[in-house]
Structures are given as structure tokens and as C-alpha cells.
Amino acid sequence: PPRSTLFPYTTLFRSGTGRKGGGHHHRSEQDLSGLAGKLGVDEDKLSEAVSAAREATRPTERTKPSEQTQAEREAAREARQAAFAKALAKELGIDEAKVTAALDELRTERKTERAAQEKAVLDQAVTDGKLTQAEADAVQKAADQGLVRIGGR
């Protein structure tokens, strides 16, 4: 599936309900715990604030990503991220810049973890003889450009 451009901050906290394998639930708990630590707030309070911020920033209209240019999707994503950070800061009574920095840091950590996992999957495929190193490099290049996702399934 293509990478989601729909509200990356809230996808950090999405539960695994209804998802194949439910593996995202554990991840959302880690994200919530990590953000609570970065902000110095209780996880239960943060969970309630995230729900309220999601509700407050829920889009009333959706434009299909296929109807937007890449630049329009990026601008819309950045606007949603800023609105969510502002709403979350308001719910928590914390400075918006602190919330934005914590969310950005958490997203960067998650991206780094995902890159390491993708590399491990490709390295294992080369080790197992399923791909040559050149093929693995080509897959990584396509993943870096957002054309494919690498998974260990």
C-alpha cells in the first residue's frame, strides 16, 4: 500500500483495532508512552488529549490524494500537523512549540526505526539468496522515493 499522507501525527497513536495481526496497537502504546515522557504528562491525560485534538481537527471535507499534486498533499499534511499540534497543546495546557518539537522528534525516531527494519529485511533477503545486492539496492532506492514499501511479511 502507498505511504499515508493523511495526518502522520495521529497515525502515531492509531490503535491496531480491525487491522490484520493487530501489531499497530503495541506501537501506538509505545508512541503514546514516548510522547508522554517527552512532554512530561501522564499517559492517560495524553490519551484523552490526543482523542480530543483529533476530534477538534477532523477534516470536514476530504480531497482524494489522487486529485492533488505532491506539493498540495505536502502542504495539506503540514497544515494538518500544525493544527493537530496546536489543538493538542491547547488540550494539555502546554506550549505549542514544545508539543510540535516532541511530535517531530517522535516521528523522526519512528522513521529511523523503520529505515533500520527495512535495511534488515533487505539484508536478510540478500543473505537468503532471494535478492542480489544490486536488486536490494534498487528496492531501497524505490522505497526511498516512496514507490514501494519494504516489509518483512
Side-chain angles (χ1 to χ4, degrees):
R3 293 181 189 216
S4 174
T5 59
L6 303 174
F7 226 172
Y9 284 153
T10 60
T11 60
L12 291 172
F13 311 107
R14 204 177 274 162
S15 73
T17 307
R19 297 223 168 136
K20 189 176 179 180
H24 294 282
H25 184 67
H26 180 68
R27 180 74 228 192
S28 67
E29 289 173 359
Q30 287 177 331
D31 289 338
L32 196 63
S33 176
L35 184 59
K38 291 177 189 315
L39 295 175
V41 299
D42 177 74
E43 283 185 48
D44 291 333
K45 180 179 179 182
L46 178 60
S47 181
E48 291 173 16
V50 165
S51 293
R54 271 192 200 141
E55 189 60 37
T57 58
R58 186 171 315 251
T60 54
E61 276 186 36
R62 291 207 181 222
T63 303
K64 292 181 182 177
S66 61
E67 296 173 355
Q68 296 176 313
T69 66
Q70 181 66 27
E72 290 169 333
R73 284 192 300 272
E74 288 293 319
R77 182 179 54 80
E78 288 174 13
R80 286 189 304 270
Q81 288 176 346
F84 178 75
K86 183 176 184 174
L88 185 58
K90 181 179 177 186
E91 288 293 326
L92 293 170
I94 295 176
D95 181 61
E96 184 180 338
K98 182 177 181 178
V99 172
T100 299
L103 288 167
D104 287 344
E105 188 177 322
L106 189 61
R107 192 177 59 207
T108 299
E109 289 170 5
R110 193 172 193 190
K111 185 177 180 179
T112 300
E113 289 172 15
R114 188 172 48 245
Q117 290 168 348
E118 289 174 352
K119 182 177 179 348
V121 167
L122 290 175
D123 288 348
Q124 189 63 52
V126 171
T127 299
D128 294 346
K130 294 177 181 179
L131 293 175
T132 65
Q133 187 60 55
E135 290 168 333
D137 292 344
V139 171
Q140 184 62 60
K141 182 177 179 180
D144 291 345
Q145 294 175 352
L147 299 174
V148 299
R149 287 191 90 164
I150 301 170
R153 296 182 189 129

